[in-house]
Amino acid sequence: AIIRMFLELPYKQALLDATGEDADSMEAAFWKLQEHVAEAPMTLLHGDPHPRNTYALPDGSMGVLDWQLVRRGSWAHDVGYALIGALQPELRRNHERELLDGYRGRLRDAGVAVPDREQMWTAYRRSPAWGFCMWAITPDQMYSVEIVETVLGRFAEAYSDLGTGALLR
């Protein structure tokens, strides 16, 4: 009900329409994603790693703030959310596979048993369903209409680009 209430805002409804979904199918995709991530190997997650929850120090080192949503779940939750939320769509399209390969390599170097490349790609492609729904319910007053619309728009584009809906049917 809360997602539907916020989708009454015209710009959010337009972005939902751009995904090719309606409120019912987006909600179904969200819950189907939860089934997939519940089956995946679990890790510790930040839960909300969007750009407004990061900081940079003068020496260039970076960190993550706002750990109130810490949870356990699939790696794809935080990685997909961070990449899609932070990168302009064209930049994401041009580099997402390279970034996922780099992430996979770092995990392997740390001794983590990693899924194969295509399994990781599929898990990543499912991830925009979470980000879209979370930014759809984000009140404009929390950041600004411009920020909410920009980040929600990134998730809408990724949802379409990556064929998320088809993967979650």
Side-chain angles (χ1 to χ4, degrees), residues 98-131:
E98 170 190 345
L99 290 166
L100 287 172
D101 286 344
Y103 177 74
R104 185 170 180 268
R106 294 292 300 263
L107 289 175
R108 191 176 42 246
D109 292 348
V112 175
V114 296
D116 74 36
R117 188 173 191 250
E118 287 310 306
Q119 289 172 322
M120 285 189 82
W121 179 242
T122 299
Y124 168 75
R125 289 177 55 217
R126 290 182 186 126
S127 71
W130 171 269

Side-chain angles (χ1 to χ4, degrees), residues 46-135:
H46 177 279
D48 194 23
H50 61 81
R52 291 289 188 162
N53 284 340
T54 63
Y55 64 89
L57 296 174
D59 69 0
S61 59
M62 297 191 68
V64 182
L65 302 167
D66 189 20
W67 286 85
Q68 81 243 19
L69 290 178
V70 69
R71 57 181 279 197
R72 64 185 195 111
S74 167
W75 66 271
H77 173 86
D78 273 5
V79 172
Y81 194 85
L83 292 180
I84 295 164
L87 299 176
Q88 295 174 0
E90 192 61 32
L91 191 60
R92 174 190 49 81
R93 288 181 199 107
N94 291 336
H95 297 285
E96 60 199 342
R97 281 204 183 249
E98 170 190 345
L99 290 166
L100 287 172
D101 286 344
Y103 177 74
R104 185 170 180 268
R106 294 292 300 263
L107 289 175
R108 191 176 42 246
D109 292 348
V112 175
V114 296
D116 74 36
R117 188 173 191 250
E118 287 310 306
Q119 289 172 322
M120 285 189 82
W121 179 242
T122 299
Y124 168 75
R125 289 177 55 217
R126 290 182 186 126
S127 71
W130 171 269
F132 184 89
C133 290
M134 292 303 100
W135 281 88

Side-chain angles (χ1 to χ4, degrees), residues 1-59:
I2 194 169
I3 292 172
R4 292 167 197 277
M5 179 187 73
F6 280 106
L7 285 172
E8 292 174 5
L9 295 170
Y11 80 91
K12 290 184 178 184
Q13 182 62 55
L15 290 170
L16 175 63
D17 293 344
T19 68
E21 303 287 351
D22 59 25
D24 290 333
S25 61
M26 183 59 77
E27 181 180 356
F30 176 88
W31 290 114
K32 187 67 173 178
L33 173 63
Q34 300 320 300
E35 291 174 23
H36 284 287
V37 299
E39 297 168 355
M42 297 290 148
T43 190
L44 179 67
L45 301 173
H46 177 279
D48 194 23
H50 61 81
R52 291 289 188 162
N53 284 340
T54 63
Y55 64 89
L57 296 174
D59 69 0

